[in-house]
Amino acid sequence: MKKLRTKGKSTIVWILTGLMVLGLGGFGVTSFSGGSTAIGHVGETRLTADDYSRGLRNQLQAMSQQAGQHIGMTQAQQMGIPNAILAQLVTAAALEEQARIIGISVGDERVVQSIADAPAFRAPSGRFDRAAYSEVLRRQGLTEAQFEAEVRVDEARLLLQRAVTGGVRTPQAMVDQTAKWLLETRDLSWRELTAEALPEPVADPDEATLEAWHKANADRFTAPEIRKLTYLWVTPEMLAPEVELDEEALRAVYDQNIAEYQQPERRMVSRLIMPSQEAAEQGRADIDAGEIPFEALVLQRGLEIDDVYLGEMTREQLGVAGDAVFALDQPGVVGPVQTNLGPALYQMNAILDPVDIPFEQARESLRQEAAIDRAARVIETRSDEFEEMLAAGETLEAVAETTPLELGQIEWTAEQEPQEGSIAGYETFRERAAAVGANDFPHIERLDDGGIFALRLDEIVPPTLKPFAEVREEVLADWRQAETHRMLLTMAEEERLQASVALPPEVPAEAAIAAQSVTGEPADPAAEDEWRQETGLTRDGWIENLPPEVLARAFAIPAPGEVEVADASDRVFLVRLDAVHDADLSQDTGQQVAESVGRRLDETLQADLFDYYNRAIQLRAGVQMNQSAINAVNTQVQ
């Protein structure tokens, strides 16, 4: 299904009215505000710099929140975001222009209703809040008159869109055929051909053949690009041994984390609130009698186990139930206990002994933790100092001589697995190593554990074909694998042709399977045992250890009894279709799938129709863009 554009709408209308979500938003249409520099026109309708800037900022903010890091304009341009926003603005402007030409508008009553229905303008009671309305518009820099005019335009575009796409439905025959195709099941058999099935082993080629194979498949024997890098780095763990900590500092860390070292006896507890005292007593009696477990009683109350789990609780935290729960010396149920929520049953799941780790015992672990923490703060404090040294022109080697940063060199490739403890194990380093250029000056960058690094590109060794003499055994193994695969495919194709000739079209698949093998000869029970069968498979089915290409091939076979070859990378299979079972759309599952298919096809047809219509009105009205104004907005938005 075509993916429809939904972003880029004017912030105020997007957030407040929800009109685009219900209507135009489904087709990528956005709203406008007037009174700013035009970045383009569709006919007489302007595309404003305000709307373009707002759409960009909203999209960048949303992407940054989703990614958990700042997404700037450079990245947005690489992803094509500005062009997408412009396309949405043009789509909306074209509809607005068409509505203006044919005289579509809405009355004040519709505008008032749209504003009143906007969630952002509602009070906690759910009713329209005039104060909230004024405040939100003020923050957006809009007057009520501007916003209401904007809503009126949006509603007019919605009317036009609904007129174009309303009532578009997929023919039922197309829906049924698609649903049947999706729900059809098949029975199949398959047999894998392996090297052992070949009449004779694959003979080794001569040296000339191997050398030719080496050249013809150079990509498989080419060393990747090597980037020779010099770097400086330091991490809190590297610096921790040099950090000095006094007893007072360690004691402070111990006190700050006292809950890890001093904990009272606890119980892991679940609590089920019952509707009445009688129900609680009956539930307890049923549990004691072994008629129902506590968990089943929870489900009977319409709850999940997680809903009643309290976690680790002390006697004091359990309140009135504390004594009863802590009186148990093994898991069990107590109650009913009258709580402020009503009568409750408590299940004690486990006993957790008290934790009592004195400072003397915790000192060593505290020292390591505190030293790493202190080292991270030292690195953070001095990172600007190191950055200034590099900015002043000092080399990495010179900085390493006078600072705690360690100097290192690495021949880095994107494919290599980093050694344990290597700087190449950091994602930030790998990203920088892949991007650094020969003319880039080293600067301080941060690692995710609080460390820092700087690097310099010394040399790039381009991808190089490894000499044949060095990789001869690899070339031989690769040739053998390819030749074996080729011979297996040839053998499989011969068997398929023999099976096609041997099987009369009127013979049912079951009879054919019993009467003969795929070679056309009388069935050999031992050979037939090599075939594996599966029934009732759907198109999205899965068979353990069987490549998906085999199942896909089975669903491409026209008729039962036919045999096809499935080439699954380095494996070769014969696939036989045994039976096809049509879907029954009268059953609940069939009806549900047919309804879902109908909705999806309707949406696709409506989207395509809307797209064609919008392109036509854009062509008729004429689209003009001011690239200089667009570039100015792009420069301002970061």
Side-chain angles (χ1 to χ4, degrees):
M1 178 179 292
K2 181 181 293 184
K3 183 176 181 181
L4 305 179
R5 297 186 292 266
T6 59
K7 301 291 184 183
K9 183 173 167 48
S10 169
T11 302
I12 191 67
V13 180
W14 177 260
I15 296 177
L16 307 183
T17 69
L19 296 177
M20 298 303 101
V21 175
L22 297 177
L24 294 173
F27 299 97
V29 178
T30 61
S31 181
F32 294 85
S33 62
S36 68
T37 304
I39 60 169
H41 292 80
V42 179
E44 297 181 13
T45 300
R46 298 195 320 156
L47 286 74
T48 70
D50 281 352
D51 285 323
Y52 178 51
S53 174
R54 187 180 296 120
L56 279 177
R57 294 182 191 279
N58 290 343
Q59 185 68 15
L60 291 177
Q61 182 179 7
M63 293 172 61
S64 297
Q65 291 176 346
Q66 184 176 6
Q69 62 182 13
H70 175 69
I71 303 296
M73 192 61 190
T74 301
Q75 293 169 280
Q77 288 175 322
Q78 292 173 349
M79 293 184 282
I81 299 302
N83 290 337
I85 299 295
L86 287 172
Q88 294 163 9
L89 293 174
V90 170
T91 296
L95 278 184
E96 183 176 343
E97 175 69 5
Q98 184 68 6
R100 183 192 65 80
I101 291 173
I102 62 181
I104 294 179
S105 185
V106 297
D108 293 344
E109 183 178 348
R110 179 63 238 173
V111 173
V112 170
Q113 187 62 47
S114 296
I115 294 173
D117 290 341
F121 300 147
R122 292 178 184 170
S125 63
R127 304 185 63 180
F128 177 76
D129 187 335
R130 177 75 190 189
Y133 176 59
S134 299
E135 176 61 20
V136 171
L137 294 189
R138 185 191 65 79
R139 291 199 303 265
Q140 292 295 326
L142 292 173
T143 66
E144 292 184 10
Q146 288 174 327
F147 179 67
E148 289 159 11
E150 196 168 303
V151 173
R152 194 184 304 276
V153 171
D154 277 340
E155 287 289 344
R157 287 199 297 258
L158 277 171
L159 286 176
L160 181 57
Q161 178 213 326
R162 289 166 181 161
V164 173
T165 62
V168 175
R169 295 291 180 270
T170 308
Q172 191 60 42
M174 182 178 179
V175 173
D176 291 345
Q177 184 172 352
T178 304
K180 287 180 178 179
W181 183 86
L182 288 170
L183 294 175
E184 172 191 291
T185 61
R186 294 192 171 197
D187 301 343
L188 65 136
S189 302
W190 71 92
R191 180 164 69 90
E192 182 172 7
L193 303 183
T194 63
E196 291 74 16
L198 294 173
E200 56 186 28
V202 176
D204 287 348
D206 56 29
E207 290 301 297
T209 300
L210 282 181
E211 290 181 9
W213 186 262
H214 173 247
K215 294 178 181 178
N217 299 277
D219 58 313
R220 297 207 283 272
F221 309 109
T222 296
E225 175 186 275
I226 298 175
R227 305 189 125 225
K228 296 184 177 181
L229 307 168
T230 298
Y231 62 89
L232 287 174
W233 74 318
V234 66
T235 67
E237 188 173 356
M238 294 164 57
L239 196 60
E242 301 177 15
V243 173
E244 296 184 1
L245 294 170
D246 55 27
E247 193 80 357
E248 183 178 348
L250 294 179
R251 176 70 71 173
V253 175
Y254 178 82
D255 293 338
Q256 290 171 5
N257 299 276
I258 192 64
E260 298 180 17
Y261 304 104
Q262 300 290 332
Q263 294 185 29
E265 186 177 3
R266 291 147 295 140
R267 301 289 188 269
M268 297 181 68
V269 180
S270 298
R271 179 186 64 190
L272 176 62
I273 305 297
M274 301 297 289
S276 65
Q277 183 68 21
E278 293 75 15
E281 291 174 353
Q282 183 61 51
R284 174 64 189 276
D286 291 342
I287 292 173
D288 291 344
E291 297 179 2
I292 185 173
F294 179 84
E295 291 76 12
L297 191 60
V298 171
L299 298 178
Q300 284 185 4
R301 295 276 293 123
L303 301 171
E304 299 293 335
I305 301 301
D306 288 345
D307 297 334
V308 301
Y309 182 62
L310 298 179
E312 300 177 10
M313 304 291 290
T314 64
R315 185 190 299 266
E316 290 72 21
Q317 288 172 330
L318 287 170
V320 294
D323 291 341
V325 171
F326 272 71
L328 295 174
D329 57 5
Q330 60 183 355
V333 176
V334 300
V337 176
Q338 191 63 40
T339 71
N340 56 358
L341 298 176
L345 298 178
Y346 287 79
Q347 176 172 263
M348 191 272 284
N349 304 301
I351 297 174
L352 301 177
D353 294 330
V355 176
D356 183 11
I357 302 175
F359 171 75
E360 292 71 21
Q361 184 177 342
R363 180 186 285 108
E364 187 55 36
S365 63
L366 282 170
R367 193 209 176 283
Q368 183 177 4
E369 180 181 346
I372 290 178
D373 183 65
R374 179 75 61 85
R377 292 200 300 271
V378 170
I379 292 172
E380 177 66 25
T381 301
R382 298 192 64 186
S383 59
D384 288 342
E385 172 193 340
F386 305 146
E387 182 69 56
E388 291 174 2
M389 295 173 70
L390 293 172
E394 292 195 40
T395 65
L396 298 182
E397 290 79 2
V399 173
E401 291 179 358
T402 58
T403 69
L405 279 75
E406 296 184 6
L407 188 70
Q409 291 183 321
I410 185 173
E411 294 188 355
W412 183 84
T413 66
E415 295 81 7
Q416 73 182 23
E417 286 292 328
Q419 298 180 353
E420 185 176 356
S422 167
I423 191 174
Y426 291 87
E427 179 65 25
T428 307
F429 176 84
R430 294 196 298 272
E431 291 176 356
R432 184 61 185 151
V436 64
N439 297 322
D440 292 346
F441 291 100
H443 63 275
I444 296 297
E445 302 203 42
R446 284 166 172 75
L447 300 170
D448 55 17
D449 62 355
I452 57 175
F453 75 97
L455 61 81
R456 179 184 69 224
L457 176 63
D458 297 327
E459 180 185 357
I460 295 179
V461 180
T464 306
L465 179 64
K466 300 175 185 177
F468 172 74
E470 292 182 10
V471 293
R472 183 187 181 283
E473 293 305 313
E474 294 179 35
V475 175
L476 176 58
D478 190 70
W479 183 91
R480 283 175 178 168
Q481 181 178 357
E483 183 65 10
T484 299
H485 189 70
R486 183 192 66 78
M487 294 177 66
L488 288 174
L489 284 174
T490 300
M491 185 173 70
E493 185 62 24
E494 291 174 354
E495 293 195 23
R496 186 193 69 79
L497 292 173
Q498 290 174 349
S500 299
V501 172
L503 180 62
E506 67 276 2
V507 177
E510 292 79 1
I513 293 170
Q516 62 189 40
S517 71
V518 294
T519 61
E521 301 297 329
D524 179 358
E528 188 60 30
D529 286 344
E530 298 177 5
W531 288 79
R532 300 182 61 186
Q533 296 180 326
E534 193 73 36
T535 60
L537 286 165
T538 59
R539 292 182 185 275
D540 60 350
W542 174 81
I543 302 174
E544 187 176 3
N545 297 324
L546 192 68
E549 293 90 342
V550 177
L551 190 60
R553 194 72 180 120
F555 273 88
I557 298 177
E562 295 187 12
V563 177
E564 292 291 348
V565 178
D567 183 358
S569 301
D570 58 346
R571 301 172 68 184
V572 178
F573 294 83
L574 285 169
V575 188
R576 181 175 62 208
L577 178 61
D578 296 337
V580 177
H581 306 290
D582 293 334
D584 184 1
L585 298 186
S586 65
Q587 300 297 319
D588 290 344
T589 301
Q591 292 177 1
Q592 292 172 5
V593 171
E595 291 174 1
S596 178
V597 167
R599 288 194 297 270
R600 296 287 296 275
L601 291 176
D602 288 348
E603 292 170 1
T604 301
L605 288 175
Q606 292 168 5
D608 288 342
L609 181 60
F610 179 83
D611 187 41
Y612 299 146
Y613 176 77
N614 196 270
R615 291 184 187 184
I617 60 178
Q618 288 181 33
L619 182 62
R620 185 162 54 247
V623 178
Q624 297 179 346
M625 304 302 292
N626 184 343
Q627 191 60 49
S628 297
I630 294 172
N631 293 340
V633 175
N634 291 343
T635 302
Q636 295 173 1
V637 177
Q638 295 299 329

